[in-house]
Amino acid sequence: MEQWEAVLFDLDGTLIDSEHFYYRSWQPILAENFGLTIDFDDWLRLFAGHTLLRNIEFLKTNWGIETSEAFMWKETRAAYAQADMRTIALMPHAEEILQQLKNAGKRIALVTSSYQTTVDTVLGHHGLLGYFEFFITRECVTQAKPNPEPYLQAVSRLQMPVAQIVAVEDTATGLRAAQTAGLACIAVSRQAVERARLTAADYIVENLREANDILL
């Protein structure tokens, strides 16, 4: 069994159960403004784990939808505020895995494509900010996942060999970023559609308790 000394967690879909929240916020915007209807599996398969700019480009490429980053930023932020991000629940066993890793003396950091405001709102609401040594958020990087820049920045801050560090991710986008940075990756998803895209991971599990068994 590998002896990892540091664990880099993704946020959305990994530590917090946010994908339904984002789907419920995006779907009315797409339907009302562009006449596009997607279901939750479509969201997971086509949009989850990507940046706003990438999703805008994806809408144009695949459906010919012309919109701007400024418009989608305004619409999505308004939807998130109305829905209240503090209602986003933790993934099962999220606090448990963080506590056990801390007790074991492991270094813990967060590497996410979300903004620091989201991190502060959701993890702050659940009282989990103190578990993390640092946060690599969207503001910190020029290129978000699947580019390896977020993980390379985290490795630089840890000042540890990559062999001692593992990433925990829930999407193919995050997996690609971690592996391109030279990291081992535990993929965790309860969604079958997502697990089918994660076969390149070092381990694939359905929940954080199973991930914890691998880490400790």
Side-chain angles (χ1 to χ4, degrees):
M1 183 66 68
E2 294 85 351
Q3 293 298 312
W4 294 303
E5 297 303 322
V7 185
L8 302 176
F9 283 97
D10 174 54
L11 179 65
D12 293 295
T14 301
L15 287 176
I16 63 174
D17 192 6
S18 55
E19 295 305 347
H20 278 96
F21 176 91
Y22 290 127
Y23 169 70
R24 289 194 303 269
S25 297
W26 272 69
Q27 174 49 42
I29 296 170
L30 296 178
E32 292 167 14
N33 291 281
F34 312 114
L36 176 64
T37 300
I38 61 172
D39 62 23
F40 184 61
D41 282 348
D42 292 331
W43 171 260
L44 290 176
R45 184 168 52 88
L46 303 175
F47 295 95
H50 294 286
T51 63
L52 176 63
L53 182 57
R54 179 270 180 193
N55 285 338
I56 291 170
E57 293 171 347
F58 190 83
L59 288 170
K60 180 177 180 179
T61 300
N62 289 272
W63 289 283
I65 291 173
E66 295 279 357
T67 188
S68 69
E69 187 173 5
F71 174 80
M72 289 301 292
W73 173 268
K74 178 176 68 72
E75 291 294 310
T76 56
R77 295 298 135 173
Y80 299 163
Q82 185 175 9
D84 189 354
M85 298 193 92
R86 292 173 298 177
T87 63
I88 298 175
L90 296 176
M91 295 298 285
H93 316 296
E95 186 168 6
E96 172 188 330
I97 193 172
L98 293 172
Q99 184 63 59
Q100 293 193 16
L101 288 170
K102 181 179 180 180
N103 291 345
K106 306 298 183 182
R107 298 175 70 182
I108 308 169
L110 193 77
V111 180
T112 175
S113 293
S114 287
Y115 287 85
Q116 189 67 48
T117 53
T118 299
V119 174
D120 292 342
T121 298
V122 183
L123 293 186
H125 174 71
H126 291 287
L128 300 185
L129 291 171
Y131 285 103
F132 299 92
E133 184 175 332
F134 59 83
F135 306 94
I136 304 295
T137 58
R138 183 65 186 89
E139 301 97 319
C140 298
V141 299
T142 302
Q143 305 222 32
K145 304 172 189 176
N147 190 284
E149 183 185 349
Y151 279 112
L152 291 172
Q153 192 174 129
V155 170
S156 177
R157 290 188 63 169
L158 287 168
Q159 296 187 321
M160 298 170 64
V162 292
Q164 296 179 9
I165 309 168
V166 63
V168 182
E169 281 280 357
D170 74 306
T171 65
T173 304
L175 171 63
R176 178 180 167 191
Q179 291 187 326
T180 305
L183 299 174
C185 186
I186 299 172
V188 52
S189 179
R190 59 191 179 188
Q191 307 291 342
V193 65
E194 200 61 64
R195 290 197 304 276
R197 299 194 296 174
L198 294 168
T199 55
D202 296 87
Y203 298 91
I204 304 176
V205 297
E206 292 190 21
N207 57 64
L208 289 172
R209 176 171 287 174
E210 293 176 5
N212 196 38
D213 290 341
I214 296 169
L215 290 166
L216 299 174

